Amino acid sequence: MPLSNEASLVSDLPALGQDPGRTYRLGIMGGTFDPIHNGHLVAAEQACNDLDLDVVVFVPAGSPAFKQDRRVSSPEDRHAMTLLATADNPRFLVSRMEVDRPGVTYTVDTLELLRAYYPDNVELYFITGADAIIDIITWRDAARIAQLAHLVGATRPGYDLESARASIAASGIDFTVSYLEVPALAISSSDLRARVARGQSLRYLTSDAVLGYIEKRGLYEPPRLSYTAPDALGLIGGLGRDVR
Ligand code: ATP
Ligand code: MG
């Protein structure tokens, strides 16, 4: 798919691949990050350690393909929270490539762009939660995704890997998948949003900087009930008036 203004989309990507005598490993953590939480961060950190990744680039989705049915915070807010959460880790970086790309985001387009940008001695590792690994076989151009990147599936201890392996094998697509055991898998952005809506704390589920940002911007708070005074509707002393 032709992408608009490709040079500016890659302007915040890390320089990698300079030494032709070695192989570099670039992790990609795609997500809506509404908000980013410790599950994402632990999974990325574990992938860095277990697979010896040089860096992990977090790529907040612009307009996510799978979340067209709910209100998603603005790309700028989700990008800002991702920057705040990753700022203190020198191996974590954030890219605006999907935020700045118009239209719905597809992983295959992002991987194509990264593949075209980096030399061949840079390998791509696309990190997802294990549940998403099973979904990937249904994603747009799944077979191309398998050619472009190794997949990294973050599983919780005790997760039933056999069903993931079986679905991938049944797809007939030649994915290479590494599974990681990550301890923080029960945390989800949906749960964090629900907690804010109920007035509960998010402390220790995401970074303090992200907590402050959510509060400052009023993200995930339930919409305030709007009350319109009766006289503003023309009801006082005027029942029967045309109220619009
Ligand atoms: P939501 O609840 O809104 O779907 P989420 O917590 O799943 O949010 P996403 O932004 O949708 O977060 O996910 C980005 C990526 O991170 C996906 O690949 C997802 O599988 C993975 N992921 C989400 N939560 C965890 C977690 N606790 N541990 C490891 N990976 C996770
Ligand atoms: Mg999700």
Side-chain angles (χ1 to χ4, degrees):
M1 175 186 129
L3 301 170
S4 60
N5 207 1
E6 291 192 15
S8 71
L9 292 178
V10 293
S11 61
D12 59 1
L13 289 175
L16 274 185
Q18 307 84 331
D19 177 355
R22 67 164 277 214
T23 301
Y24 296 77
R25 294 178 160 198
L26 172 71
I28 302 126
M29 183 91 198
T32 315
F33 304 131
D34 193 17
I36 188 164
H37 54 67
N38 289 347
H40 299 129
L41 298 166
V42 172
E45 179 68 9
Q46 183 114 6
C48 259
N49 292 335
D50 291 10
L51 298 167
D52 205 16
L53 305 181
D54 292 278
V55 280
V56 175
V57 179
F58 287 72
V59 186
S63 178
F66 294 122
K67 306 213 169 157
Q68 303 292 316
D69 54 339
R70 76 164 180 87
R71 232 187 86 236
V72 176
S73 305
S74 74
E76 292 304 339
D77 278 334
R78 292 181 290 102
H79 175 260
M81 291 189 282
T82 308
L83 271 181
L84 288 170
T86 55
D88 59 0
N89 187 330
R91 286 202 292 183
F92 288 178
L93 295 162
V94 183
S95 167
R96 293 184 59 89
M97 62 193 298
E98 292 192 359
V99 166
D100 289 339
R101 188 168 53 193
V104 174
T105 300
Y106 293 101
T107 296
V108 68
D109 296 332
T110 298
L111 294 177
E112 290 280 14
L113 203 59
L114 290 167
R115 190 62 280 161
Y117 179 65
Y118 285 110
D120 288 348
N121 62 336
V122 177
E123 296 174 350
L124 307 182
Y125 287 78
F126 186 71
I127 307 164
T128 71
D131 303 338
I133 276 274
I134 299 177
D135 292 345
I136 281 187
I137 55 181
T138 66
W139 288 6
R140 173 180 285 217
D141 292 339
R144 182 70 185 138
I145 292 177
Q147 291 172 343
L148 291 165
H150 302 271
L151 301 184
V152 183
T155 66
R156 72 177 75 84
Y159 178 82
D160 172 21
L161 270 182
E162 279 323 305
S163 58
R165 287 209 176 95
S167 336
I168 288 170
S171 76
I173 300 174
D174 193 15
F175 286 107
T176 53
V177 191
S178 309
Y179 293 96
L180 305 175
E181 277 203 354
V182 178
L185 219 87
I187 304 175
S188 70
S189 303
S190 322
D191 179 56
L192 267 61
R193 294 191 300 272
R195 282 170 188 263
V196 175
R198 292 195 299 263
Q200 292 176 340
S201 162
L202 302 189
R203 200 135 195 225
Y204 309 121
L205 297 172
T206 187
S207 74
D208 286 351
V210 171
L211 293 186
Y213 188 89
I214 290 172
E215 202 174 322
K216 186 156 62 182
R217 298 277 297 133
L219 301 180
Y220 318 123
E221 285 171 7
R224 297 223 167 82
L225 289 176
S226 63
Y227 171 74
T228 311
D231 56 338
L233 293 173
L235 290 175
I236 294 176
L239 286 176
R241 271 166 59 183
D242 189 10
V243 176
R244 276 185 248 265

